[in-house]
C-alpha cells in the first residue's frame, strides 16, 4: 500500500477577500493542495507565517500597510521560509522586479487561468521557476541596473559561490538564466533530463539558492550573465 502524497500547504495574502475566496476555492479543490491560512495585508502575513508552516505563499504586491515587497523580504528571511509567488495585475512592472529582488520565486498575473495558478504553485514548490523564458529575459533586462549597481564581482574575482561550480554546472546555470527548462537544457547539452536535474540541484546547493530564480539573480549580479547576451539570444 502506497503512502498518501504529501499535501502542499498554501497561504493566501491579498487585501481583497473575494480574490482570496476565489483562490481558496480553486486550490482546495485539488487533492494535493491545501490552503492553511489567509491574510489581508503584509504585516498580518508575516505574523501568520511565523506560527504557521507553509510551502508556498501567493502574495499580492499592492496592499495597504506593509506591502507585498516588504512582506516578501521578511517572509523569506524566516528560519524555514516558504517560497513566495507574487501576484500582480501588470506583467513585469517595477513592483515585480523589486519583489524578485526581495526573494520571491516568481510572479503570477492575477487574471491567470485557474490551471496556470495551480501549475505555478506546484512548480515553485518543486523548486522550479514560474517565469517563462521570454519573461525571464525581460525580467533580467529590467532588473539589471538594480542588481549590478555596485554589487557585481570585480574582474578576475568571481562570486565565491559560483567559483565552486564545475564548468558543466556553470553552463547549466547560464541556460537557466536564459529561462530554459530542464528538457530544453538536456536537449541543448545532449544529456538526459535526469542528469540536468542533478546539475540543477548541485547549482542550487553550492550557491545556497532556494530555487532557480534566486540562482539566476546571483549569476546575473556576479556578471556571469549580461543583458546584452539575453537581447542577442532573444533576437535569434
Amino acid at each position: 500500500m502506497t503512502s498518501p502524497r504529501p499535501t502542499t500547504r498554501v497561504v493566501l495574502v491579498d487585501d481583497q477577500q473575494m480574490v482570496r475566496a476565489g483562490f481558496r476555492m480553486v486550490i482546495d479543490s485539488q487533492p494535493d493542495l491545501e490552503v492553511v491560512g489567509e491574510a489581508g495585508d503584509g504585516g498580518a502575513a508575516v505574523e501568520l507565517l511565523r506560527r504557521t508552516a507553509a510551502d508556498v505563499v501567493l502574495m499580492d504586491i499592492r496592499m495597504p500597510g506593509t506591502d507585498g515587497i516588504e512582506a516578501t523580504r521578511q517572509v523569506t528571511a524566516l528560519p524555514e521560509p516558504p517560497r513566495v509567488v507574487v501576484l500582480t495585475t501588470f506583467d513585469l512592472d517595477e513592483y515585480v522586479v523589486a519583489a524578485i529582488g526581495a526573494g520571491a520565486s516568481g510572479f503570477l498575473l492575477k487574471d491567470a487561468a485557474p490551471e496556470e495558478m495551480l501549475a505555478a504553485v506546484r512548480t515553485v514548490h518543486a523548486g522550479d521557476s514560474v517565469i517563462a523564458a521570454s519573461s525571464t529575459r525581460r525580467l533580467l533586462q529590467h532588473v539589471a541596473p538594480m542588481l549590478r549597481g555596485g554589487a557585481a564581482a570585480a574582474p578576475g574575482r568571481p562570486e565565491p559561490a559560483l567559483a565552486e561550480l564545475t564548468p558543466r554546472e556553470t553552463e547549466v546555470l547560464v541556460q537557466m538564466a536564459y529561462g530554459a527548462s530542464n528538457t530544453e537544457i538536456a536537449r541543448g547539452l545532449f544529456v538526459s533530463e535526469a542528469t540536468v536535474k542533478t546539475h540543477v540541484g548541485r547549482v542550487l546547493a553550492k550557491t545556497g539558492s532556494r530555487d532557480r530564480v534566486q540562482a539566476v539573480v546571483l549569476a546575473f549580479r556576479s556578471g556571469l550573465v549580461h543583458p546584452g547576451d539575453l537581447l542577442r539570444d532573444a533576437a535569434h
Side-chain angles (χ1 to χ4, degrees), residues 17 19 50 52-53 59 69 87 92 98 105 128 152 170 177 209 213 228 235:
Q17 187 172 355
V19 171
R50 289 186 194 281
T52 304
M59 177 84 72
I69 296 171
L87 303 170
L92 291 177
S105 298
D128 290 331
T170 300
S209 303
V213 171

Side-chain angles (χ1 to χ4, degrees), residues 109-182:
L109 296 179
K110 276 192 172 184
D111 61 357
E115 314 84 73
E116 292 181 49
M117 187 259 286
L118 294 172
V121 171
R122 294 183 175 111
T123 300
V124 76
H125 180 49
D128 290 331
S129 170
V130 296
I131 307 179
S134 60
S135 296
T136 299
R137 296 188 187 99
R138 286 184 288 132
L139 173 66
L140 291 177
Q141 290 161 20
H142 195 60
V143 80
M146 297 170 58
L147 292 181
R148 297 298 300 278
R157 299 180 62 186
E159 179 77 31
L162 297 184
E164 296 295 320
L165 302 180
T166 66
R168 177 45 62 93
E169 289 164 356
T170 300
E171 194 173 9
V172 168
L173 177 54
V174 169
Q175 292 305 309
M176 288 163 59
Y178 288 132
S181 65
N182 287 351

Side-chain angles (χ1 to χ4, degrees), residues 56-108:
V56 178
V57 178
L58 295 181
M59 177 84 72
D60 188 22
I61 290 182
R62 298 170 181 172
M63 296 180 290
T66 303
D67 65 18
I69 296 171
E70 177 57 31
T72 295
R73 185 175 291 110
Q74 294 184 35
V75 166
T76 55
L78 293 174
E80 294 185 12
R83 292 188 169 94
V84 177
V85 177
V86 294
L87 303 170
T88 179
T89 52
F90 299 98
D91 187 7
L92 291 177
D93 65 5
E94 67 273 18
Y95 297 101
V96 175
V97 172
I100 296 295
S105 298
F107 74 94
L108 183 69

